Amino acid sequence: MATANLQFKTNYAVSSKIEPFYKGGKVQISNDENYIFCTCGSRVNILEISTGKIVHSIEHDDQEDITCFALSNDDELLVTASRALLLKQWDWKQAQCVRSWKAIHTVPVASMTFDSTTTLLATGGCDGTIKIWDVVKQYCTHNLKGSSGVVHLVQFHPDINRLQLFSSSLDCGIRLWDLRTSQCVCVLQSHFSAVTSLCFSPDGGTMVSSGRDKICTVWDLETQTVKRTIPVYEAVEGVVLLPNDQDYSQIGVKSKDLHFITAGSKGVLRVWEATTARCVYIQSLLSSPTSVSEEEEERDADPRSLTFLLQLPKSCRLATVTAEHNILLYQLPALTTLQQFVGYSDEVLDVKFVGKGDSHIVVATNSCQLKVFELLTNTCQILYGHSDTVLSLDVFKKGCMFASCAKDRSVRVWQMDSDSGQVRCVAHGSSHTNAVGSITCSRLKASFVVSGSQDCTVKVWDLPADLTGPDTDVHQLTARCTEKAHDKDINSVAVSPNDKLLASGSQDRTAKLWSLTREGNLGLLGVFRGHRRGVWAVCFSPVDQVLATSSADGTTKLWSLQDFSCLKTFEGHDASVLKVIFVSRGTQLLTSGSDGLVKLWTIKTNECVKTLDAHQDKVWGLHGSGKDDKMVTGSADSNITVWVDVTEVEIEEEQAKQEDQILKQQQLSNLLHEKKYLKALGLAISLDQPHTVLTVIKAIRQGEDRHELLEKTLLKLRVDQKESLIRFCAVWNTNARNCLDAQAVLHVLLTHLPPEELLQYQGARTHLEGLIPYTERHMQRIGHLLQASMFLNYMWQKMRVAGAPASLGQDEDMDTTPLGQNQPFFVIDKEGQGKDGGDAGNDSGQDEDPNCLEDDDDDIIEDEDDKDGEVSATNKASTNQERIENGNGVSANGNHNSESEEDEDTFPQSEVDDITVRKSVKSLPLSAAPECQTVSS
């Protein structure tokens, strides 16, 4: 099955993504005409027109939806308003918030605009008020009241000397505000529905308004009266004036009179002459939608309708936004289509590579239109033809022709021009009685297509020998044969590489194999049974007599075409497996599922070698390129992802990384040996390995002048290295073994660096807050240890050594000096007996440094402080109490033996001592040792 020297694929990397960037709301184009600003939920996305890529994305920290935004005329300032009633001013090129302030509005801001000098900002709220802000001096200059309902439109007069603001709200009137007096000068009444846009003549004396009442009104602003009312017979969403300094004869402009362009519910641009109220030009679209009835034209949610019309005067272009969130750019004066960007694709149902060198992808979304993206620029062609949702796609071998099927019970064949990249429909067939859910093309040459439908039938459609002809010619296809193939919906059909066999998969849990002949009906060869739920996809191996099927039961199976037996079963998806394709010359499989995952399988070992997690929902589309070096996936999360095979590149990079790691480890060892601690610490931090950095810190703290050396080394680090060190300290501090090293580092940083500088470090606040609870636990533990050491010292003072004078130690006050500072500590042998004959609680035979906690003590401490350990809080408490009580027992026994000659009627000295010890322990002060001071800092 496998080729001897074939290199298996092991990984895919994301090459590019086509993501939603606009889901409705305001759209604005920068004054330099290079960027498109548009809202997408809680973000404002900035799209670069030349590349079609999202270059910046602005989002509020609270992740509240952005209700409106405005870009200044100099393209420097961007102000956004969110549902949290905050206004934020952005340096959008750096994606940084410069300042924020409360909007004062009691409800969200609905509209916003800058004046021509970028000094004043007007905000219209849903509370019916308008605020004017001085963005330079940062204060509110006007509070204009009087509008009824939501103020959905605010616009300054282009002549700033007039200091006028126009607004419109739910009462359909246009209010003219004089900003000198903060008064409403007049209300221009003409529209009987929402006013959607305003545009002004160059001299500022004439204004044109548009509304959803299907009229446009020409106003004389000097007299504040209506000059002409023009019926346009569609709900108008945008209007722009044509400048009179150019020749627009191509679009019907024959005079120097005032002309304007409207965009609205009919989805086309129209040019109007204001003086005669005539429509002088109607745009003809390259890909015209299918004809619809008048009732359908009146629907409010017509996907063809236009919602915005924007003017780009410097480049003589227009931009429109459709109800389906597509942004189209047209070139004046001919109104030819330049670019189309798809803002939101909804659920992606299928996706395929097309064009020379897989330069394009064709996408079927939850729409009746097909979208063809150019991968280099992300520009898109929108193909009209189907009248209902397109469900499936397939591509012919040469890649310049593809077929589609839809819920409208039809199939269509499309052809791409190899030079211009333009796509047109060349053939159409419709004889199914229900939605067509799957389609497949012939493999050898473009001779036929096969469709499978919810009517349980399979149809074979022969294509004409010559599909060339005028752009308007669409060949009508007739089904060569129709076969009742399954008992339930047919989900998938596939043609074998030699065009002789056909496979079909159905909701009836079976897949079937058919013979394809030029004459007569399809011939059933066999049935593949074994799936427990419906079969979603079928695919022939490119080299072997094997069929792959994927099912809603979460499995993928390989079947023999000779005896119809199941050869292998692949299990790994948590939900339905929606697509399966062969890669690596038939030696590997790619599967996609409802769990949003794409898995790569090696057939020989029956092993999943890679799981790709790039989608959040069902991956309906999965297709490999002709060269087998990349693939494309499309998901119900609206994302389209192009993947590149990076197996060889990844292997080389991994080898180089390992070699570099070994080299740096050797270099680090040499630097530590040479005691070049600064370079060693910098190298360890660059490796981003906390344990390696800790090794260097421990090496520094082993020297004689360890405090001075550590301080000298740490303060010479760069800012980014100190940031990493604080992050590592938060990790070390969680373990009692390493807490002293972490606290020593923190002591240096907190002592020598001002708080304001520390808080500027990335993540410093989070890391420092995480240090507090563990540091408190370490302090408590060390406090308990100090109490225990005081207790042992007390017992040492009270114990009588055999042969010593009777007066020794009777009336002495307790010496609270920690052991090991003023008195030598008695040495314990391996059996636990002191050389002086006393019991011992320490199994170390050497003098200990009181500032260090090592060996067995560390084991106890680590168990106590490890939050993920097996020791519970109750056990830790009982363990500490047992240690104190055992110490008391030793003391009592010692005193009892020394006082054995006391009168039996007197109170036992052991009990007296025991009571005294317990009271003393409770009242002992917590004296701070040197290391305790480090911990507390």
Side-chain angles (χ1 to χ4, degrees), residues 444-742:
L444 297 179
K445 62 179 182 178
S447 56
F448 65 89
V449 294
V450 181
S451 60
S453 169
Q454 289 183 2
D455 60 14
C456 305
T457 65
V458 171
K459 290 181 181 289
V460 182
W461 310 79
D462 284 326
L463 300 183
D466 185 14
L467 290 172
T468 59
D471 291 347
T472 56
D473 281 359
V474 178
H475 296 273
Q476 294 300 317
L477 301 179
T478 303
R480 181 214 308 173
C481 63
T482 301
E483 184 71 30
K484 173 70 165 59
H486 290 272
D487 297 329
K488 292 185 178 180
D489 300 355
I490 298 175
N491 293 327
S492 177
V493 288
V495 174
S496 63
N498 60 5
D499 283 351
K500 293 183 179 180
L501 299 174
L502 172 70
S504 60
S506 169
Q507 283 295 107
D508 64 7
R509 307 180 185 180
T510 66
K512 294 185 178 182
L513 186 67
W514 309 81
S515 64
L516 279 171
T517 58
R518 294 294 299 176
E519 303 86 13
N521 296 328
L522 295 171
L524 179 62
L525 299 178
V527 181
F528 304 97
R529 293 186 174 91
H531 283 294
R532 299 186 302 276
R533 299 186 68 182
V535 178
W536 274 114
V538 293
C539 182
F540 284 97
S541 168
V543 293
D544 295 312
Q545 295 186 13
V546 172
L547 180 75
T549 61
S550 63
S551 168
D553 62 12
T555 66
T556 302
K557 292 180 180 290
L558 288 183
W559 307 84
S560 169
L561 298 183
Q562 297 179 347
D563 57 7
F564 309 105
S565 62
C566 180
L567 303 176
K568 287 180 180 290
T569 299
F570 302 90
E571 297 180 346
H573 286 278
D574 296 331
S576 300
V577 186
L578 303 175
K579 282 291 177 74
V580 57
I581 60 173
F582 284 90
V583 292
S584 304
R585 300 180 188 175
T587 59
Q588 291 182 294
L589 290 174
L590 278 170
T591 59
S592 64
S594 297
D595 51 10
L597 302 178
V598 177
K599 290 181 177 288
L600 175 64
W601 307 82
T602 298
I603 295 176
K604 185 176 181 180
T605 60
N606 209 34
E607 176 188 10
C608 176
V609 297
K610 190 67 178 179
T611 298
L612 306 174
D613 185 8
H615 294 285
Q616 304 300 320
D617 209 339
K618 306 177 186 69
V619 184
W620 289 109
L622 175 64
H623 187 232
S625 68
K627 295 181 180 179
D628 199 24
D629 59 347
K630 58 184 177 181
M631 68 167 174
V632 61
T633 56
S635 168
D637 62 8
S638 305
N639 291 326
I640 302 164
T641 306
V642 179
W643 307 78
V644 178
D645 175 24
V646 293
T647 301
E648 296 180 1
V649 177
E650 186 183 50
I651 292 173
E652 292 175 358
E653 289 180 351
E654 187 64 28
Q655 290 175 348
K657 186 184 294 184
Q658 291 177 358
E659 293 174 359
D660 183 60
Q661 200 83 343
I662 294 172
L663 183 63
K664 286 185 176 180
Q665 291 288 351
Q666 183 61 45
Q667 185 180 358
L668 180 62
S669 178
N670 295 338
L671 290 172
L672 288 176
H673 180 71
E674 298 170 3
K675 296 186 177 181
K676 296 181 179 179
Y677 295 122
L678 180 60
K679 290 184 177 180
L681 187 57
L683 179 61
I685 292 174
S686 68
L687 293 173
D688 198 28
Q689 296 177 354
H691 178 72
T692 306
V693 179
L694 181 62
T695 303
V696 179
I697 296 295
K698 287 182 179 294
I700 296 174
R701 298 187 70 233
Q702 286 177 354
E704 295 180 357
D705 301 329
R706 54 184 185 177
H707 296 295
E708 293 78 5
L709 181 58
L710 181 64
E711 180 178 312
K712 179 181 177 182
T713 305
L714 296 183
L715 295 179
K716 288 183 178 180
L717 294 175
R718 300 192 309 268
V719 172
D720 60 317
Q721 293 173 330
K722 292 175 183 176
E723 289 179 355
S724 301
L725 209 54
I726 292 177
R727 174 164 53 91
F728 296 155
C729 284
V731 177
W732 303 337
N733 197 51
T734 60
N735 192 319
R737 288 183 180 274
N738 306 323
C739 70
L740 297 180
D741 298 296

Side-chain angles (χ1 to χ4, degrees), residues 772-787:
I772 295 174
Y774 285 100
T775 301
E776 290 176 347
R777 290 172 62 183
H778 298 325
M779 283 294 297
Q780 292 174 1
R781 184 188 72 252
I782 292 176
H784 292 318
L785 290 174
L786 283 173
Q787 287 182 349

